[in-house]
């Protein structure tokens, strides 16, 4: 029998907290997250609903302290300082944040200035994740982003001046019309800003997006060989610049790996608040209703907004951990695989796509690029 594990030792006193803020000024044509423009949403009612939902779970899991806090979306940075202050106050009242190890906040360039960044720091935000994607204005136009290269270049110095200790830059490659030279310039521009962490994602064509329509008609193409060239250029430039490649799409300077994401990959428990947020606590996973108006109504009537609830088996956790941990440079113990899987693991190693070291199965950079197919092949 293979080992059935969540790789970290589950700590019944801690939970990771995620908050989904679904508002964006405008909708990017490639994005599949639950999001919308604020329209006539009653923002105060939304913040109140988050506070009430926090109260519901604080009562349900009274002994839990928050280990990491992550505000994502959507665009959390478009909330006004007043609303952010109210939101933070509600979370602090409901949860024990005294041992918080990391407080990440997603921000888009063009949604904050120095004053607002100083307010982020006052709230205790330790890590800002910037959705920059590209430093090429024509690529940004294709992505439907509202900021320019110039906006993006101002953001990191502003955050540093405000006292934010860790900054991540999100970048994207294999965008229609993007050349390797443009990608090189984007990587070099990002490195020049001296962030602590860079995420470099391969664009994927997701359901219900404008991009997938163009992909389906053949206007946009997804070419694995081209993707590999972009991936290898990122790997080369970022590792040469002193970033540690610790997950397929993530690179960090020393001490700047994302604690929140690492906990999630390892199988720690997490609580998600807000429309569409997902939670996994004990052996149960649930998703909140992905509709802001329904979310607000449901919280006010029953205190939670759970809509899809599933009980996870040990085998579900094992498969999920394999899929997620194989994306990391830590890999995972060979002992988690079944006999037939181990045979396939050895074939992957013989093809130079992975190594086994100290009993751990770890993908090489070449294998890292094929992680999804490798997981599918092994399982
Ligand atoms: S990519 Fe970010 S900014 Fe664009 S629509 Fe999605 S959540 Fe909003």
């Amino acid at each position: 029998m293979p080992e059935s594990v969540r790789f970290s030792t589950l700590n019944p006193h801690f939970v990771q907290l995620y908050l989904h803020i679904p508002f964006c000024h405008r909708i990017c044509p490639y994005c599949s997250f639950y999001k919308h423009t604020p329209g006539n949403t009653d923002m105060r009612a939304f913040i109140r609903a988050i506070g009430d939902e926090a109260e519901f779970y604080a009562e349900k899991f009274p002994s839990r302290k928050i280990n990491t806090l992550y505000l994502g979306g959507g665009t959390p940075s478009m909330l006004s300082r007043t609303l952010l202050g109210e939101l933070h106050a509600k979370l602090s009242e409901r949860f024990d944040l005294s041992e918080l190890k990391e407080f990440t906040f997603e921000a888009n360039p063009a949604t904050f200035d120095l004053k607002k960044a100083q307010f982020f720091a006052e709230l205790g935000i330790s890590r800002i994740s910037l959705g920059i994607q590209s430093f090429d204005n024509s690529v940004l136009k294709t992505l439907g982003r509202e900021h320019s290269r110039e906006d993006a270049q101002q953001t990191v110095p502003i955050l540093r001046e405000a006292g934010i200790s860790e900054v991540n830059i999100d970048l994207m490659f294999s965008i229609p019309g993007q050349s390797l030279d443009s990608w090189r310039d984007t990587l070099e521009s990002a490195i020049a800003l001296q962030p602590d962490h860079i995420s470099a994602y391969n664009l994927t064509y997701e359901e219900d997006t404008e991009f997938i329509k163009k992909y389906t008609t053949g206007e946009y193409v997804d070419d694995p060989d081209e993707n590999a060239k972009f991936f290898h250029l990122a790997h080369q430039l970022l590792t040469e610049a002193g970033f540690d490649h610790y997950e397929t799409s993530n690179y960090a300077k020393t001490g700047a790996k994302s604690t929140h994401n690492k906990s999630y990959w390892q199988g720690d428990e997490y609580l998600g608040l807000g429309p569409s947020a997902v939670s996994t606590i004990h052996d149960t996973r649930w998703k909140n209703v992905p509709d802001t108006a329904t979310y607000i109504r449901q919280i006010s009537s029953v205190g939670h907004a759970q809509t899809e609830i599933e009980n996870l088996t040990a085998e579900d956790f094992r498969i999920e951990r394999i899929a997620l941990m194989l994306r990391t440079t830590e890999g995972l113990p060979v002992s988690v695989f079944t006999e037939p899987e181990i045979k396939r693991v050895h074939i992957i190693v013989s093809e130079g796509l992975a190594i086994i070291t100290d009993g751990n199965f770890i993908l090489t950079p070449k294998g890292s690029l094929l992680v999804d197919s490798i997981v599918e092949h092994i399982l």
Side-chain angles (χ1 to χ4, degrees):
M1 282 290 285
E3 269 182 38
S4 168
V5 283
R6 282 162 128 168
F7 292 111
S8 61
T9 313
L10 278 186
N11 187 330
H13 303 297
F14 285 107
V15 69
Q16 326 304 314
L17 182 62
Y18 172 78
L19 214 72
H20 191 76
I21 310 292
F23 313 112
C24 294
H25 282 308
R26 66 183 195 205
I27 304 305
C28 305
Y30 59 90
C31 175
S32 64
F33 297 127
Y34 173 66
K35 79 283 165 190
H36 56 92
T37 53
N40 54 8
T41 306
D42 180 343
M43 289 297 200
R44 282 246 141 65
F46 174 76
I47 301 292
R48 206 165 39 243
I50 295 264
D52 291 347
E53 190 187 18
E55 187 167 2
F56 177 87
Y57 289 111
E59 282 173 11
K60 198 170 161 74
F61 307 114
S63 59
R64 300 301 183 102
K65 293 182 178 186
I66 305 302
N67 192 43
T68 61
L69 172 55
Y70 193 110
L71 263 68
T75 310
S77 54
M78 68 177 272
L79 291 181
S80 66
R81 278 188 278 162
T82 311
L83 288 173
L84 276 174
E86 285 177 18
L87 181 63
H88 185 261
K90 287 190 189 300
L91 292 179
S92 313
E93 277 162 29
R94 274 38 167 203
F95 293 116
D96 184 346
L97 303 179
S98 62
E99 293 186 44
L100 199 59
K101 294 192 182 63
E102 183 183 87
F103 182 178
T104 304
F105 187 81
E106 287 182 355
N108 277 351
T111 55
F112 65 90
D113 54 15
L114 178 59
K115 235 176 173 180
K116 201 161 175 186
Q118 283 165 335
F119 186 66
F120 297 159
E122 277 165 34
L123 291 180
I125 290 168
S126 59
R127 186 174 183 272
I128 295 272
S129 184
L130 287 168
I132 289 179
Q133 316 310 346
S134 173
F135 285 88
D136 180 332
N137 283 335
S138 72
V139 171
L140 287 169
K141 196 165 172 218
T142 306
L143 291 176
R145 306 291 298 195
E146 60 179 338
H147 67 267
S148 65
R149 171 189 177 93
E150 295 68 32
D151 292 330
Q153 279 175 323
Q154 283 169 14
T155 50
V156 179
I158 286 177
L159 292 172
R160 296 299 192 203
E161 191 179 341
I164 298 293
S165 54
E166 279 185 39
V167 177
N168 167 56
I169 291 181
D170 272 353
L171 300 176
M172 198 181 278
F173 61 84
S174 292
I175 299 158
Q178 183 186 34
S179 65
L180 269 180
D181 280 346
S182 161
W183 179 228
R184 178 185 288 277
D185 176 68
T186 281
L187 289 162
E188 288 173 349
S189 303
I191 291 166
L193 290 171
Q194 300 186 318
D196 310 278
H197 189 287
I198 293 181
S199 300
Y201 296 105
N202 192 151
L203 171 75
T204 51
Y205 291 92
E206 305 284 348
E207 294 287 313
D208 300 323
T209 61
E210 287 299 310
F211 268 28
I212 200 157
K213 287 184 201 152
K214 295 191 177 181
Y215 174 72
T216 313
T217 60
E219 187 180 339
Y220 289 169
V221 287
D222 189 17
D223 178 345
D225 292 335
E226 282 301 306
N227 296 345
K229 290 181 196 163
F230 283 89
F231 175 87
H232 287 306
L233 183 58
H235 189 270
Q236 183 203 331
L237 294 188
L238 294 174
T239 51
E240 279 174 9
F243 289 87
D244 179 16
H245 183 214
Y246 72 107
E247 197 263 355
T248 305
S249 310
N250 287 289
Y251 298 79
K253 285 279 172 78
T254 307
K257 292 177 186 170
S258 162
T259 307
H260 184 88
N261 287 346
K262 224 171 146 216
S263 297
Y264 166 70
W265 301 328
Q266 288 177 333
D268 287 347
E269 295 178 314
Y270 53 93
L271 175 64
L273 306 181
S276 82
V278 176
S279 305
T280 304
I281 298 201
H282 303 314
D283 294 334
T284 307
R285 176 165 299 161
W286 65 88
K287 182 177 177 180
N288 278 356
V289 59
D291 180 276
T292 303
T294 314
Y295 166 81
I296 294 172
R297 272 201 306 277
Q298 202 170 318
I299 294 288
S300 106
S301 60
V302 293
H304 67 80
Q306 298 175 8
T307 177
E308 293 166 24
I309 304 170
E310 57 175 325
N311 286 316
L312 300 172
T313 62
E315 180 62 0
D316 293 331
F317 278 114
R318 189 184 75 92
I319 289 173
E320 187 170 273
R321 291 288 70 68
I322 290 172
L324 290 172
M325 289 299 288
L326 263 192
R327 297 178 64 86
T328 71
T329 46
E330 244 170 80
L332 72 174
V334 175
S335 53
V336 301
F337 295 106
T338 62
E339 280 300 317
E341 287 166 357
I342 286 177
K343 287 196 183 110
R344 294 192 283 275
V345 159
H346 286 296
I347 293 171
I348 303 285
V349 171
S350 70
E351 288 172 350
L353 299 172
I355 53 166
I356 294 176
T357 176
D358 293 335
N360 265 24
F361 177 58
I362 302 168
L363 297 190
T364 59
K366 194 172 156 202
S368 196
L369 193 61
L370 302 169
V371 58
D372 294 336
S373 329
I374 290 175
V375 169
E376 210 172 296
H377 177 71
I378 294 175
L379 299 175

